[in-house]
Amino acid sequence: MNNDRNSVLIHENQETVWNAITNDEIISKWYAPGSKWNIPKLQVGEKAIFVLMPSAHNNLKENESIPMSFTIQEIIPYERFSYSSDTDKLVFTFEIFPESEGTRVSINMDGYELSLANLKACLEGKELPYT
């Protein structure tokens, strides 16, 4: 996997990284902190809900939120997690690859540099750079 802006090397094992991108409690810590993920069942075809809350990185006002619904499309444990937006059908795919110094995580979308930086910090025990 190449070193581009859509990927990050995390100094952790694949299992830890996998849990961070598929466990709703952990995702809620690093992905748009202050917002909430709910993944009731990690299974293809199941729904996941994300509620975006106001932050310095969006234009939402206090007490405003945007609920979003997603459908899980693909699960290959410790390798790939994919879901699609129920609104616009965009497919988001996280892939994880072992490397000599840890695990590389990539996403198929542009604009996720801040989220990937937060994921890295979260798993490496550092303060999140983007809250």
Side-chain angles (χ1 to χ4, degrees):
M1 187 75 211
N2 61 5
N3 262 336
D4 62 17
R5 67 175 186 243
N6 299 326
S7 74
V8 65
L9 177 64
I10 299 172
H11 300 285
E12 266 298 345
N13 62 49
Q14 279 180 275
E15 182 177 1
T16 299
V17 172
W18 174 257
N19 288 335
I21 63 173
T22 60
N23 178 297
D24 54 9
E25 288 183 29
I26 302 172
I27 297 170
S28 295
K29 290 179 184 175
W30 63 267
Y31 186 89
S35 299
K36 182 81 173 131
W37 278 94
N38 183 10
I39 304 173
K41 192 171 189 179
L42 189 62
Q43 184 174 323
V44 171
E46 292 292 324
K47 297 290 183 192
I49 304 295
F50 172 67
V51 180
L52 181 64
M53 301 301 289
S55 79
H57 305 284
N58 63 44
N59 295 321
L60 295 179
K61 295 176 179 36
E62 189 176 339
N63 298 323
E64 194 175 9
S65 65
I66 300 175
M68 300 175 215
S69 177
F70 297 92
T71 301
I72 298 172
Q73 298 294 321
E74 183 179 26
I75 298 170
I76 301 174
Y78 311 112
E79 293 180 21
R80 186 183 316 212
F81 179 56
S82 182
Y83 53 87
S84 63
S85 165
D86 292 342
T87 305
D88 56 18
K89 306 301 180 203
L90 283 175
V91 177
F92 301 82
T93 302
F94 286 91
E95 293 185 286
I96 61 177
F97 307 90
E99 290 194 4
S100 60
E101 296 180 26
T103 303
R104 181 158 303 277
V105 178
S106 70
I107 186 165
N108 66 323
M109 297 281 181
D110 286 331
Y112 282 82
E113 299 86 353
L114 305 184
S115 294
L116 290 174
N118 274 357
L119 172 60
K120 178 179 176 67
C122 178
L123 292 181
E124 293 181 357
K126 299 176 183 165
E127 186 175 329
L128 297 184
Y130 304 102
T131 57

